[in-house]
Each structure stands twice: as structure tokens, then as C-alpha cells.
Amino acid sequence: MKTINDFSITIGTINGSGSQSSNNILVRTLFHMGLPVSGKNLFPSNIAGLPTWFTIRISAEGHLSRKDENDIVIGMNADSLIKDQNSTKKSGVFIYNIDLKVPLFKQRDDILCIPIPFKQIVNEVSDSIKLKKLLTNMIYVGVISQLLGIDIDVLHKTIQKNFSDKPQVIDINVKAINAGWEYAEKNLDYKTFPYKVKFIENANDNKILIDGNTASAIGLLFGGCSFMSWYPITPSSSVAEMFHAYSNKYRKTTDGKNNFAIVQAEDELAAISMVIGAGWTGARAVTPTSGPGLSLMAEAAGLSYFAEVPAVIWDVQRVGPSTGLPTRTMQGDLLAAYHLSHGDTKHIVLLPANPNECYEFGKTSLDLAERLQTLVVVLSDLDLGMNYWISDRFQKSQEALDRGKVYREDDLIDHPEFARYQDVDGDGIPYRTLPGTYHPKAAYFTRGTGHDERALYSEDNENFRKLMNRLAKKHETAKKYVPQPIVQGQGAIGLIAYGSSHPAVEDLQNILLKEGNATSYMRIRALPLVEEIKHFITKNDITYVIEQNRDAQLMRVLLAEWPELHAKVKSITQYDGLPLAANYLYGQFKELNS
Amino acid sequence: MSIEQKNDFAKSDYMGAKSTLCTGCGHDTVTTNIINAYFQSGVNPYSVAKLSGIGCSSKTPTYFLNLSHGFNSLHGRMAPMAVGVGCANKNLNIIGISGDGDSASIGLGGFIHTVRRNLPMVYIIENNGVYGLTKGQFSATADQEAVLKSGEINPYSSVDLCALSLEAGCGFVARSFSGDAKQLVPLIDAAIRYKGTAVIDVISPCVTFNNHDGSTKSYNYVKEHKHALQELGFIQPQEEIIVDYEEGEVIEVRLHDDSILTLKKLDANYDFRDLNQAHQILKQNQKAHEIVTGLIYLNDNKQNLHESLSLNEKALRDLTDEDLCPSQEVLDKITDEFS
């Protein structure tokens, strides 16, 4: 019996060996055949030499979270060869490089083992020692493609598209892939190979396969980000790099001038300070970072909150605390982000779950920062940011950019009694003017110290309490502006999750449904929490709050907001640095119900 | 950055709130000189953004240019804030006020990198920690081997912000004394016109550490009589120290604590366009325990940050949706790469 369009492939290679292009071509070829597919890099914090894995999941039903069982494993690294064979599921397939010298290696007899003489094959493709190393990776793509029944035309087209900016390397890569294909055709048994792929016609025609960081960069471009400062840090650097690349292409004047500024800062203290300076002046400003950078930005986060200056931090989360596992994924920054800084602070937090939301929240985060005159933290993560996800194509927003409550020169003629921190509209959001406003009433003095409605220094106790209460009111107002939660399915059991947990939770929902356990799943997309979440939990018999951190950080926020819900929620957490897998969630669910 | 010669503003338009610093503080003298320089230069106050960090010096932007927006930000972060401000609206005239703590200690990174980037701004350091002016503590700008009256010796080498500015490629490096209006006002005026980061390190005496031996408020006295620590809060009002001396002249200034500061004004023969000479004179003066004052280095052919970033003439803050958001066609073109 063959398994069609429903399996996982994991490829074990050496970091820095150039397997990225090969894996990209393989996953995109599957995508071009209309298959629901995801591709995840599990890589070390290292430039070259350590083991790294790429895992592809294909699921006709669209379950694209990481599968913790490996159906097919390709072993290309001597250092991880034994481990890789062991990770192959029973009756799965292990394809490996026969040239690797691993004395203790012995083929398992409960799986299909396929040794491939890569050296011999690559010798016929090229004489260049340097190229041979890279081309070996293309050969495994050829071998596995033949065995799976991938369409060779689609494969060739994908290679061409992948190397469209370097056409001179197309031929040699095609040659290598063909060599692998031909070797498999001649020497291996296509018919008995247990996994196959079949076209799903037109299924991905309107889809894209993209990483969240690139989607974020596109979102910030179309969301009107005009100033970005950043300090390089994994896994967020590509947000800035892609934003820079797209801005250079699409944000230029006709005479070649830039309608954007990007500054690589000396550290994250400076990066967030630059954003606050730019936001204060009226630009739409963002700084991408990750956990350690977020920690460094804490003092300035309080300034943004207290002095009411628009700012956006785009945090692509990795495993903390401290340097943690810098190339692994986690949702560990939720509490830190929500209350970042000393004193009473509460920020707006956005929780994108897919590339489409990374794109959309580019505009949303900047709109909210300017509308609410405060800090907005977007919490993406390494799994979402750096791995390949299927997404709908992006649509340009029909809504104009929200520039918030700003008085320009003309407005001040009508509002000559401008006071910077006066709650004119009763929603807690005051009006501001920008430096460089040519009007005698425009100027005010921004400060992180206590201030009155006219922005004058004040240590008056009554005044300070009033100010803090208005800021709390503004946080309430934010509830109507932030992305609202989305509910899927109906049932007495509730599931709550956010961010990159989404595919695994959808998978779990499906597994449970097949068992007769109907669930209602609410995906939270922002803090502050809205009342609808409370109603959701109240109406369910029990609600499981699923998160990728040890301390159930979202559940803590929920229970701090509504302590009366204490008996209505249970926590399921995962915090080992790997993308969330549905089987793991199912196991935890069963344990809590046993 | 643009200088508009609009003289329909009165001098009072360049003034600010009443100072809350100690009477006689050098910083207030600097403030007066800033007011005079901006008034004389005819800069439109609406076009100015005043920035500062945290500390005594950083309070001063409230005391001048009341018609300008101001931002008293975070300790050590004035410089990166200014980078954001300058990028967001390149037409603003930025003045940043900082102290030796703000720029030489907690914000040293921001200082040096802002100078490297050459952001157009007037960067004034009101330096009251140098050469024993705040004998309560050593600041990062104190001389190595300087001796406190307690006998404590500073074992660390000093940070010279002018020398550092030169190292970082600064094209406008000056040092002056707070009470020297004749020198400081023209320096600030020149800094306003300079199209890059113009650093002026202003030695500005502090009256808080009223430290002569006979004083009951002296550091030594308070140290020996710890119960009297509260007394540190008592500040004897002092006269502002004003100096007036000629180019090439060396004068000794008696400070509030009776210590002596030696100022040496650069003479007409000094070529401020000679970088080697600039380095040399700072080294020589450090050895001689003299403070050289004047325009130490000028190079007006340096690329500034606006140029490095190829910024559009239209300020970023003024860009419209049309300027900022490409079309759906562009979006489709971008996403096609991922289809």
C-alpha cells in the first residue's frame, strides 16, 4: 500500500554545506504540484559544521504543523547519521550517503534503507571540488523526486525560478538533479517505494509559499513604515534586510531618492530610541528584534508608554531566557512584552499566526501606534518568521493609513487652546503636534517625568494619578482597535492559542473531532484581551490554553484579568525549542483528561 | 535642516521657562549664550527641535526656545533619539544638550555613533565633571591621576569627547567655557550653520560641590560628619563665572570652590582645518593640564547622514499614502516570486 500526499521528509545535513537551495527547490516543487506543504529549518547557532535538519510536511488535508514522526529521512551528515536513522519511523524509509564513514552504523531492518553512492554520481556531473559539495545536495533532490513520482517538468521549472537571478548556474544544477533522478531510475525500485505524490490540480494557484519575516517586510513596506532602526539578531535580521531590499526597489522617488530611512544601530538601546525619536517627529517607525533586544529596550518602552510616543517593536521570538537557544522557536516573550519596563506599563501586543497576518500587521501595528500614541509590540517567532508557510496572496489594504490625532498648522487655528495631554474626546487619547509645526501654539515639551495636561513638569500627586488613570483608559479604548479573536468549530471543549501554534492546534482539533470530541477553538490575536474571550471561556465546559512557553504566560494574563475563570481553564505548554507538533498536544490533552 | 533668516521674531521668542538650576550654575550661562546665538542667527524657532538626555544639563532645553518642540528623553539616549528625529524630518534644526555623564558614560555609544553618522545637529555637552569641577565624584572626563581632596586618586584614563569626536570623523569640533560669551555665541552660531554633527564641549562650572576647605558644605566636611549629609541639599547661591580673554591668551579662572581652571584660547595662526594639528593640540593640552578653547577642527566637506541615506527632500513625516504604499500591481509582482 502506498501513502499518497501525506508524509514527512527530514533531511540531515551539515550547516553551511549549501543544502538550503536544494531544500528550497524540493519544497517549492511540491508546492507547485498543488500540495499543501510546509518546510522548516531546524538549525544550530553556528555558521558552518554542525548538524542541521530540514523537515518537509505534505498533507492533503492541510495539516502542516511539524510532524514528530519522520516517514522519510535523508542522511547526509556522518555526525548525525545514526541519530537520523534512529529517528526514522518504523516501516519508514532511510536514504543515506554510502560514502560517509561511520563505523558503528548498521542498517535497521524494520525500515527501508537505501544507500546512495553520491560520490560516484557527482563525479560524473562536475570536476570542480568546490561545486561537488554543493551539487551532492542537488543529487538527493533528484533521487527523492524520482522515487516520490514528482513531475520532472515542474522540478526543472522550479530550479529555473529559484536561480532566476543567477541564470549561469541553472544548467549545472539541472544536470546534478538529473543525475540523481537517473541513478534512481536505473538502480532503485520506484514501484515498491511506499510514499508517492500526486498533483492536486490548481490547488496552490492563488497561494504563495513564504516565510513570515519576508511577509512582515512586505507588510511594513505597504503599511507605510518610513523609518527602521535595528541591531542584527537572529531570528529577526531578515525582517530588516528584506525591508531594505524592497524599499530600495519600491520606495524610491523618480530621481532615485529614498522615501525611507534604515539605520543599523549600535545596539538595541539606540534602535528603540531612534524609533521613538522618529515616531515623535511623525514618521512611521519600527525596530525589528528578538528576546535579548527586547530586554534592552525596556526603559525606552516605558518612555513610549508614558510620554505617549508612537513606536513599534517587531519581536521575532526565540528561546530564552538569556541567550537561550538562539536558533530555536518559542513564545516566551508575551509577559515581558505586555509589561515591558518599570512602573505600571501595559502595551499593545499583536500576535500574528501566519504570513498573511505578518503582512497585515505591518500596517495594523503602525496604525495602532499612531492612533493610540503608544508602543505596539508584534510577537512573531522563529518558526513563523524563518520557515516556509503556505499563505493566501496578499491584498493591498483598502483603508488609508491611520495617522492618528495630529494637529497641523491649520488645525491649530481652530484649536488655539491646544494642550498636549488633554483628553479632548474622552477616549483617553490626546492630540499631538509634530516638531516643525509653524504655529505659536504648537510647541510642547515631551518628557519621561511627571507632567500635566500642558506637558509641564509636575510632581503633583493628584495630577499623577489622573494621568495614570487616563493611560489606563486609553488601554481600554485600544480594545476596540486591536485585531479581534477568531473562533473555529463548535463544541463544549474550548481551545485557546495564538501565533505559530495555529497549525498544530488545528491538527489537534481535527484529531479530537475524529474521536468524537468536538472543540471550539479561539485564536487570540492581540492584547489587551477583549470581553469576547471571557464569554468564550465562560460558555465552555473547560478551555485548554495552549502556548509555547513553560509558565503559561497567556493564561497568567487571562487569570489576572478574570480571576473568576480560574476553574474554567487548563494549561498545555511546550517549551523545548521545536515547532509545535499536534501529536504532542494530543498527548498532553489525554494526560489532562486521564 | 534649513536656516530661515526671519527676523520677525523677538528675542523673547528665543527664551524659555525660568531655570530651576542652582544660582550661578554654568549651565544657565550656556543657556543665555544659546538664546543669543539662535536669536542672532535668525533661525526660525518653529523649525528647531530641542533634545536632551537626563541630568542637570538635560533640564536646560526648557529654559530656551519656548516656541520649539522639546524632548527630555532618557539618560544617555539623546543622541540616538536625535538620529530618529533628524531622519523623520530632515528640515528640522536639531540642538541636543547633554552632560558628561550623559555623553561620556551611559551614552558614550550613542554619542560616538551619532558623530560617526554625521547627523546634522548642534551637539552641546555641558561638561561640569572635568578637571575637578565636581570633586564629589570622578566623572569619565576627569584627568587620570587627578586627586580628590580626600586623597583618592583617579586610576582611570579620561575620556576626552573632543578627541573622540575627531577619531570618529567629526567635522566640527569645538571646546569653550560657559561664561565666555564672546567665544561661545559665535561657535554656536557656526554650529547651527554646519551641515553635520557639530560638537561643542563646554566646560561649565558646578556650584553644588562648594568645596573649599573652609566650607562646612565641602565634600570632606560632609564625609567626616555623615549626620550632616542632608546638608548637601543646601546650595549657596553663587555668581555666574564670566570670562573675557583674547585669542592666543592663557587665563586662570577661579571657580566657585577656589580651584583654578587654566583656559587657553586658540590664536589666529591655528589652522582649524588641519586634522593632525587638532589631534596634537588636544594631546599637548592634556599633558599641560590646560583646556584649549575655540574651534579645534572644521571640515565642511563631509557627507552627512541625510546624504548617506539619500533622503528625499520631502520629509519622511510628510509622506502621503501614495508616497509610502506601492500599488497592488507591485504587491502582485513581489508575491509572484513566492508563487
Side-chain angles (χ1 to χ4, degrees), chain A residues 31-105:
Chain A
F31 171 74
H32 290 145
M33 289 182 70
L35 304 174
V37 65
S38 64
K40 296 185 192 296
N41 251 310
L42 307 173
F43 61 106
S45 177
N46 157 264
I47 291 170
L50 291 181
T52 181
W53 293 270
F54 189 76
T55 175
I56 296 171
R57 182 165 183 192
I58 299 148
S59 162
E61 288 186 17
H63 306 308
L64 296 174
S65 59
R66 185 181 66 85
K67 201 176 169 188
D68 52 10
E69 278 189 322
N70 296 315
D71 298 298
I72 302 169
V73 178
I74 302 175
M76 301 297 292
N77 180 3
D79 291 343
S80 65
L81 197 73
I82 293 173
K83 187 180 170 188
D84 290 345
Q85 179 177 241
N86 289 343
S87 78
T88 312
K89 123 182 191 194
K90 205 176 160 194
S91 72
V93 179
F94 183 56
I95 299 168
Y96 67 99
N97 186 349
I98 200 169
D99 306 314
L100 299 176
K101 309 259 180 294
V102 184
L104 294 174
F105 176 76

Side-chain angles (χ1 to χ4, degrees), chain A residues 161 251 258 266 393 396, chain B residues 69 117 310 324 328 336:
Chain A
K161 190 168 179 183
R251 202 53 104 50
N258 291 341
E266 52 273 25
R393 274 173 174 273
K396 193 179 163 182
Chain B
H69 278 71
R117 293 184 184 105
S310 282
L324 291 167
Q328 180 68 45
D336 272 347

